Short mmCIF file of all heavy atoms in Angstrom, two decimals:
data_model
loop_
_atom_site.label_atom_id
_atom_site.label_comp_id
_atom_site.label_asym_id
_atom_site.label_seq_id
_atom_site.Cartn_x
_atom_site.Cartn_y
_atom_site.Cartn_z
N VAL A 252 41.50 68.41 61.62
CA VAL A 252 41.16 69.50 62.53
C VAL A 252 41.09 70.83 61.78
O VAL A 252 40.19 71.62 61.97
CB VAL A 252 42.18 69.57 63.69
CG1 VAL A 252 42.01 70.87 64.47
CG2 VAL A 252 42.03 68.37 64.61
N ALA A 255 38.06 71.56 58.91
CA ALA A 255 36.65 71.64 59.30
C ALA A 255 36.01 72.89 58.69
O ALA A 255 36.63 73.94 58.61
CB ALA A 255 36.53 71.66 60.81
N THR A 256 34.77 72.75 58.28
CA THR A 256 34.03 73.86 57.69
C THR A 256 33.07 74.42 58.72
O THR A 256 32.19 73.70 59.20
CB THR A 256 33.24 73.38 56.45
OG1 THR A 256 34.16 72.79 55.52
CG2 THR A 256 32.52 74.53 55.79
N LYS A 257 33.26 75.69 59.05
CA LYS A 257 32.36 76.33 60.00
C LYS A 257 30.97 76.45 59.38
O LYS A 257 30.82 76.83 58.23
CB LYS A 257 32.85 77.73 60.35
CG LYS A 257 33.89 77.76 61.43
CD LYS A 257 33.24 77.49 62.77
CE LYS A 257 34.25 77.61 63.88
NZ LYS A 257 33.94 76.76 65.00
N ALA A 258 29.97 76.14 60.16
CA ALA A 258 28.59 76.33 59.71
C ALA A 258 28.29 77.82 59.76
O ALA A 258 28.63 78.49 60.73
CB ALA A 258 27.64 75.55 60.60
N LEU A 273 22.53 80.34 65.54
CA LEU A 273 23.47 79.23 65.66
C LEU A 273 24.55 79.56 66.69
O LEU A 273 24.94 78.71 67.48
CB LEU A 273 24.10 78.89 64.31
CG LEU A 273 25.06 77.71 64.30
CD1 LEU A 273 24.35 76.43 64.73
CD2 LEU A 273 25.67 77.53 62.92
N SER A 274 25.02 80.79 66.70
CA SER A 274 26.09 81.16 67.64
C SER A 274 25.68 80.96 69.09
O SER A 274 26.53 80.66 69.94
CB SER A 274 26.54 82.61 67.40
OG SER A 274 25.45 83.49 67.51
N LEU A 276 24.11 78.50 70.17
CA LEU A 276 24.01 77.05 70.41
C LEU A 276 25.38 76.37 70.44
O LEU A 276 25.45 75.15 70.39
CB LEU A 276 23.13 76.42 69.34
CG LEU A 276 21.69 76.93 69.32
CD1 LEU A 276 20.94 76.41 68.10
CD2 LEU A 276 20.97 76.59 70.60
N LYS A 277 26.46 77.15 70.52
CA LYS A 277 27.80 76.56 70.58
C LYS A 277 27.87 75.60 71.76
O LYS A 277 27.35 75.88 72.83
CB LYS A 277 28.86 77.64 70.70
CG LYS A 277 30.24 77.08 70.49
CD LYS A 277 31.19 78.11 69.97
CE LYS A 277 32.47 77.39 69.60
NZ LYS A 277 33.34 78.17 68.84
N GLY A 278 28.50 74.46 71.54
CA GLY A 278 28.58 73.44 72.57
C GLY A 278 27.47 72.41 72.46
O GLY A 278 27.42 71.46 73.23
N LYS A 279 26.59 72.61 71.50
CA LYS A 279 25.49 71.67 71.27
C LYS A 279 25.63 71.07 69.86
O LYS A 279 26.23 71.67 68.98
CB LYS A 279 24.15 72.37 71.39
CG LYS A 279 23.96 73.06 72.73
CD LYS A 279 22.52 73.05 73.14
CE LYS A 279 22.35 73.72 74.48
NZ LYS A 279 22.27 72.81 75.57
N VAL A 280 25.08 69.90 69.67
CA VAL A 280 24.98 69.30 68.34
C VAL A 280 23.67 69.82 67.75
O VAL A 280 22.62 69.71 68.37
CB VAL A 280 24.98 67.75 68.41
CG1 VAL A 280 24.69 67.15 67.04
CG2 VAL A 280 26.30 67.25 68.98
N VAL A 281 23.77 70.41 66.56
CA VAL A 281 22.61 71.05 65.95
C VAL A 281 22.25 70.32 64.65
O VAL A 281 23.10 70.08 63.80
CB VAL A 281 22.88 72.54 65.65
CG1 VAL A 281 21.68 73.19 64.95
CG2 VAL A 281 23.23 73.29 66.93
N ILE A 362 25.58 69.76 62.54
CA ILE A 362 26.63 70.67 62.99
C ILE A 362 27.12 70.18 64.35
O ILE A 362 26.32 69.93 65.26
CB ILE A 362 26.07 72.11 63.09
CG1 ILE A 362 25.51 72.54 61.72
CG2 ILE A 362 27.12 73.08 63.61
CD1 ILE A 362 24.60 73.74 61.75
N ASP A 363 28.45 70.04 64.49
CA ASP A 363 29.00 69.50 65.73
C ASP A 363 29.06 70.56 66.83
O ASP A 363 28.69 71.73 66.62
CB ASP A 363 30.37 68.85 65.49
CG ASP A 363 31.47 69.84 65.11
OD1 ASP A 363 31.32 71.07 65.32
OD2 ASP A 363 32.53 69.37 64.62
N LYS A 364 29.56 70.16 68.00
CA LYS A 364 29.58 71.05 69.17
C LYS A 364 30.46 72.27 68.98
O LYS A 364 30.29 73.27 69.67
CB LYS A 364 30.05 70.27 70.40
CG LYS A 364 29.08 69.22 70.88
CD LYS A 364 29.64 68.50 72.09
CE LYS A 364 28.68 67.45 72.59
NZ LYS A 364 29.20 66.77 73.80
N GLN A 365 31.41 72.20 68.05
CA GLN A 365 32.30 73.32 67.79
C GLN A 365 31.74 74.25 66.71
O GLN A 365 32.38 75.22 66.32
CB GLN A 365 33.69 72.83 67.37
CG GLN A 365 34.48 72.15 68.48
CD GLN A 365 33.95 70.76 68.80
OE1 GLN A 365 33.61 69.97 67.93
NE2 GLN A 365 33.86 70.45 70.09
N GLY A 366 30.56 73.93 66.20
CA GLY A 366 29.95 74.77 65.17
C GLY A 366 30.38 74.44 63.76
O GLY A 366 30.20 75.25 62.84
N ASN A 367 30.95 73.25 63.57
CA ASN A 367 31.41 72.82 62.25
C ASN A 367 30.40 71.88 61.60
O ASN A 367 29.80 71.05 62.27
CB ASN A 367 32.75 72.07 62.36
CG ASN A 367 33.84 72.94 62.93
OD1 ASN A 367 34.02 74.08 62.52
ND2 ASN A 367 34.55 72.41 63.90
N LEU A 368 30.27 72.00 60.29
CA LEU A 368 29.49 71.02 59.53
C LEU A 368 30.27 69.73 59.56
O LEU A 368 31.47 69.72 59.27
CB LEU A 368 29.30 71.49 58.09
CG LEU A 368 28.46 72.75 57.92
CD1 LEU A 368 28.62 73.29 56.50
CD2 LEU A 368 27.00 72.46 58.20
N ILE A 369 29.64 68.65 59.96
CA ILE A 369 30.38 67.39 60.00
C ILE A 369 30.61 66.90 58.58
O ILE A 369 29.81 67.19 57.68
CB ILE A 369 29.67 66.31 60.87
CG1 ILE A 369 28.37 65.86 60.23
CG2 ILE A 369 29.45 66.80 62.29
CD1 ILE A 369 27.83 64.56 60.82
N LEU A 390 28.21 62.03 68.22
CA LEU A 390 28.62 63.43 68.32
C LEU A 390 28.33 64.02 69.69
O LEU A 390 28.93 65.01 70.10
CB LEU A 390 27.91 64.27 67.26
CG LEU A 390 28.22 63.92 65.81
CD1 LEU A 390 27.31 64.70 64.88
CD2 LEU A 390 29.68 64.19 65.48
N LYS A 392 28.79 62.54 72.56
CA LYS A 392 29.70 62.02 73.58
C LYS A 392 30.92 62.89 73.75
O LYS A 392 31.33 63.62 72.94
CB LYS A 392 30.10 60.59 73.23
CG LYS A 392 28.91 59.69 73.31
CD LYS A 392 29.22 58.28 72.99
CE LYS A 392 27.92 57.50 73.08
NZ LYS A 392 27.96 56.15 72.86
#
Side-chain angles (χ1 to χ4, degrees):
V252 168
T256 303
K257 276 286 184 210
L273 182 60
S274 57
L276 299 172
K277 191 153 189 167
K279 303 212 179 262
V280 173
V281 178
I362 302 164
D363 68 17
K364 292 179 180 182
Q365 291 74 42
N367 299 313
L368 295 166
I369 68 164
L390 297 172
K392 294 181 181 182

